[in-house]
Amino acid sequence: VTTKGPDHKKLFIVKVSSQNQILATAKGISKKEAEQKAAQKAMKNLIGRKLRTLTDDTFLMRRNRDD
């Protein structure tokens, strides 16, 4: 994680890498935002399609086959 800008207006830059290869880079106004954007871009690059944006209140639920 790197940062740019003054303390009152920081920009966080995150890179996701695997085996010395950069998979994605993203910027955000918070560290969390930059990390989430970079992770989503990396997953998109790995599986080759756009993912639905997840929010804090998004969750995944697996339905039991007995229901």
Side-chain angles (χ1 to χ4, degrees), residues 7-8 11 14-15 21 25 27-28 34 37 40 49 55-56 58-62 67:
D7 286 340
H8 67 280
L11 183 65
V14 174
K15 293 180 183 179
Q21 179 182 3
T25 302
K27 299 175 186 176
K37 285 181 178 180
Q40 192 167 25
R49 60 187 168 115
T55 62
D56 289 340
T58 302
F59 62 94
L60 302 175
M61 188 169 160
R62 187 174 196 168
D67 290 345

Side-chain angles (χ1 to χ4, degrees), residues 1 16 20 23 31 34-35 44-45 49 51 56 59-60:
V1 177
V16 176
N20 297 322
L23 301 176
K31 184 177 176 183
E35 288 172 339
K44 179 183 173 189
N45 290 338
R49 60 187 168 115
L51 302 174
D56 289 340
F59 62 94
L60 302 175

Side-chain angles (χ1 to χ4, degrees), residues 6-53:
D7 286 340
H8 67 280
K9 196 174 180 182
K10 282 215 184 286
L11 183 65
F12 293 83
I13 304 163
V14 174
K15 293 180 183 179
V16 176
S17 62
S18 176
Q19 298 177 348
N20 297 322
Q21 179 182 3
I22 296 175
L23 301 176
T25 302
K27 299 175 186 176
I29 59 172
S30 70
K31 184 177 176 183
K32 180 179 178 179
E33 179 185 41
E35 288 172 339
Q36 288 176 338
K37 285 181 178 180
Q40 192 167 25
K41 283 182 178 181
M43 290 299 297
K44 179 183 173 189
N45 290 338
L46 287 171
I47 63 173
R49 60 187 168 115
K50 188 171 184 174
L51 302 174
R52 186 182 72 182
T53 301

